[in-house]
Amino acid sequence: MDEREAFRIFATSEDATQTQRHIKPIHWYVACRLVLEGGFMPDEVTPRPPFTVDPRDGRLAYDPSAARGGERTILGGLKTKDIDVTILKPGLGPVLAVSCKGAIKAFRNLTNRLEEAVGDCTNIHITYPALVAGYLFAFRANREAGIVAEEAPAGASPRRQLAANDIAIGRGGDPVEVIMRFHHALSELTGRRGIRDDVSRYESVALTLVEPEGGRAGEILTGFPREDSRILLRNFFATLYLRYDERFVYAAPDLKQVTRRRIWAEGSPAFAVGDPAGLPHLPTSYEPRFAGAQGAGLYL
């Protein structure tokens, strides 16, 4: 799943939020990226991405039939919790988890989202203090001009009608106050570095606004968060990988055979243009974890 396509579905979906059809593509995008860029084995990731690894030479292939949906249930310190995307290492249990959340309207309810985020993070870290936890939140960047409802042609489904509480971007082009407050609050929930640090903080947090209309639907809004923000999407995954390597690779050299991340051969079928086992298109928002033509099956 490509980033642009995942966010396009999120930004344009007309399905009720209870179905989670607007957010599921983002789960798949994160899971696929953890394999291609992160170097994690496909069968370690839930939902299971559409990839297989050749046991003979370690080369990666694209295989839609290998994909498996669902969420993994994690034992928390207070209750069990279904996590959107999880990596489980044999003999170690869950080592990395990402919660993917989104809001398409009714932004007045963001306080509840914050309480949920803090509670979920605390719950998981109580049982698994070494687990690397990420929180990815996307807003549909509804603009104030969209409050005016448009009449749909006869026979067409009615277009979304926006109320004042559904607006993310004001007429001047800046995020509305409630979005700014949410950004500030999320910025205080990121940055957990060591296993003895505050269990209510995530290792990495990202906030993004997504264009909902026209040919730009699915594009990440530029200019917010600002370049000095602690929760930029472009830093989200790199921080997850860094925290993971610090805890499970560098700090535990005796476990490297289990914990270190794969480096994929550039000649793997998954990346070969025209190969039946190749990806429909290579990702453009990040680079796969390549080792070059001779690097099949190598590790960090």
Side-chain angles (χ1 to χ4, degrees):
M1 175 65 71
D2 182 72
E3 178 179 286
R4 174 71 181 272
E5 179 63 11
F7 283 116
R8 186 195 66 77
I9 295 172
F10 166 78
T12 60
S13 174
E14 299 285 354
D15 293 315
T17 56
Q18 291 86 349
T19 68
Q20 291 199 324
R21 291 175 183 168
H22 67 300
I23 200 71
K24 287 294 186 181
I26 297 180
H27 298 179
W28 283 107
Y29 155 66
V30 171
C32 291
R33 184 163 177 171
L34 290 174
V35 172
L36 297 174
E37 179 192 56
F40 293 100
M41 296 290 283
D43 57 4
E44 297 172 344
V45 184
T46 304
R48 192 195 189 286
F51 302 105
T52 57
V53 178
D54 191 322
R56 297 167 299 179
D57 57 17
R59 292 176 181 267
L60 188 71
Y62 174 69
D63 182 1
S65 68
R68 299 289 184 274
E71 300 172 340
R72 185 173 293 278
T73 302
I74 301 297
L75 176 64
L78 305 174
K79 62 179 181 178
T80 59
K81 176 64 180 176
D82 293 336
I83 305 297
D84 298 323
V85 184
T86 310
I87 295 176
L88 189 145
K89 285 288 184 178
L92 295 177
V95 295
L96 191 151
V98 178
S99 294
C100 306
K101 307 299 179 184
I104 62 175
K105 60 180 182 178
F107 300 145
R108 64 183 180 278
N109 297 325
L110 292 179
T111 299
N112 296 338
R113 296 299 189 98
L114 286 171
E115 293 174 352
E116 178 187 70
V118 172
D120 289 348
C121 184
T122 303
N123 179 42
I124 296 172
H125 275 149
I126 288 175
T127 301
Y128 299 102
L131 181 142
V132 178
Y135 187 79
L136 170 58
F137 198 98
F139 280 107
R140 184 179 284 175
N142 303 323
R143 287 173 168 76
E144 189 169 352
I147 291 179
V148 180
E150 300 179 25
E151 294 185 1
S157 59
R159 302 186 184 184
R160 294 190 301 269
Q161 296 187 18
L162 301 178
N165 286 321
D166 301 335
I167 299 305
I169 306 297
R171 291 186 183 275
D174 294 324
V176 297
E177 184 179 353
V178 67
I179 304 294
M180 298 295 289
R181 290 201 305 266
F182 191 69
H183 171 272
H184 177 74
L186 279 188
S187 297
E188 297 300 315
L189 294 184
T190 193
R192 184 172 184 262
R193 296 180 61 89
I195 62 175
R196 296 178 180 83
D197 289 349
D198 186 353
V199 294
S200 67
R201 284 180 178 268
Y202 290 87
E203 277 68 18
S204 187
V205 172
L207 174 66
T208 188
L209 276 72
V210 184
E211 295 284 357
E213 302 289 345
R216 297 187 60 196
E219 288 186 13
I220 301 301
L221 190 72
T222 59
F224 182 84
R226 290 174 24 176
E227 290 296 308
D228 58 353
S229 173
R230 301 174 62 196
I231 55 175
L232 288 172
L233 178 60
R234 71 164 180 260
N235 299 329
F236 178 72
F237 289 93
T239 302
L240 291 177
Y241 304 145
L242 177 59
R243 297 285 92 83
Y244 172 83
D245 287 343
E246 288 173 347
R247 294 178 196 174
F248 294 99
V249 182
Y250 305 140
D254 292 343
L255 295 176
K256 278 187 176 181
Q257 291 299 324
V258 174
T259 60
R260 53 192 174 183
R261 298 184 287 127
R262 288 267 182 155
I263 299 176
W264 306 117
E266 197 165 350
S268 291
F271 310 115
V273 177
D275 193 301
L279 287 164
H281 49 79
L282 292 178
T284 57
S285 57
Y286 60 92
E287 292 189 7
R289 189 174 165 82
F290 286 148
Q294 304 300 317
L298 294 180
Y299 288 91
L300 177 68

